[in-house]
Amino acid sequence: MAGKKIVQKVKRSAPEFSTLRKSITPGTIAIMLAGRFRGKRCVVVKQLPHNGPLVVSGPFKLNGVPLRRVDSRYIIATSTKVDISSVDVTKVTPETFKRAATEKRVKGEGEFMGDKSKKVAEKEARKTSAAAKGKSPNGGRVSDERRNLQKAVDAGIMAALKKDIVGKEKAGYLKSIFTVKPGDAPHRMQW
């Protein structure tokens, strides 16, 4: 009985609780299956607390995938790993990904009845919407704080790739895009 391990249970409400697959760990190279970056390979950085989404990064310099949240259902974990234990990811929190609050329109009687100020406001809104391509309040631009965090995380991943014996091959692997061609059997592929 002395050799038997006792597994300590974690409450579901605890921030450490996770239902993540065993194959997905920090440093795992994964293939994104959906969204703008589908088919691209990325490095899993961490999982957000309370069984939250995964945080992945390209690195941006290699394949253009920024630091972003991804649900674990939308990635395939490969057996290739990068040792990112030296990368500081403490600043990557759920607050990092919060969007800026947008101003709500004030609706009033004058707007309902159709006065001149409404027409002027609509004209101004069309101008500003054409100028700002993004839907977010910051006009689709990334904040300096987020850009610096991206650079810091990517620098750590790139340093880890340089330390690796087969780092050049892994960098090339991260740059490549995954596709399924006619005749390929994904269920028989070794990840």
Side-chain angles (χ1 to χ4, degrees), residues 29-82:
I29 294 179
I31 302 166
M32 298 184 78
L33 297 176
R36 182 174 164 203
F37 301 102
R38 66 183 163 273
K40 297 243 182 164
R41 292 182 169 91
C42 57
V43 179
V44 176
V45 177
K46 71 185 278 188
Q47 184 183 23
L48 293 176
H50 297 289
N51 205 19
L54 299 170
V55 177
V56 298
S57 181
F60 191 79
K61 185 179 178 183
L62 287 181
N63 58 13
V65 178
L67 196 65
R68 63 185 291 131
R69 295 173 297 180
V70 179
D71 194 289
S72 61
R73 284 173 259 179
Y74 299 110
I75 66 164
I76 296 174
T78 64
S79 57
T80 313
K81 300 198 184 288
V82 179

Side-chain angles (χ1 to χ4, degrees), residues 115-191:
D115 58 357
K116 290 181 183 178
S117 62
K118 179 184 174 189
K119 289 179 183 175
V120 173
E122 283 178 354
K123 193 174 184 181
E124 197 64 35
R126 273 189 238 119
K127 283 182 187 176
T128 55
S129 66
K133 292 184 180 182
K135 293 178 184 175
S136 63
N138 59 1
R141 291 183 194 87
V142 179
S143 68
D144 290 334
E145 183 184 329
R146 183 89 169 261
R147 189 178 295 116
N148 293 337
L149 181 62
Q150 174 80 50
K151 285 181 182 176
V153 171
D154 284 359
I157 294 172
M158 293 300 282
L161 282 170
K162 283 183 182 167
K163 283 182 192 173
D164 202 324
I165 298 167
V166 287
K168 273 192 175 178
E169 287 82 3
K170 285 182 183 177
Y173 182 61
L174 282 164
K175 284 181 185 177
S176 66
I177 294 173
F178 173 78
T179 56
V180 178
K181 296 174 186 78
D184 286 350
H187 62 286
R188 292 208 174 133
M189 289 182 182
Q190 294 247 306
W191 304 102

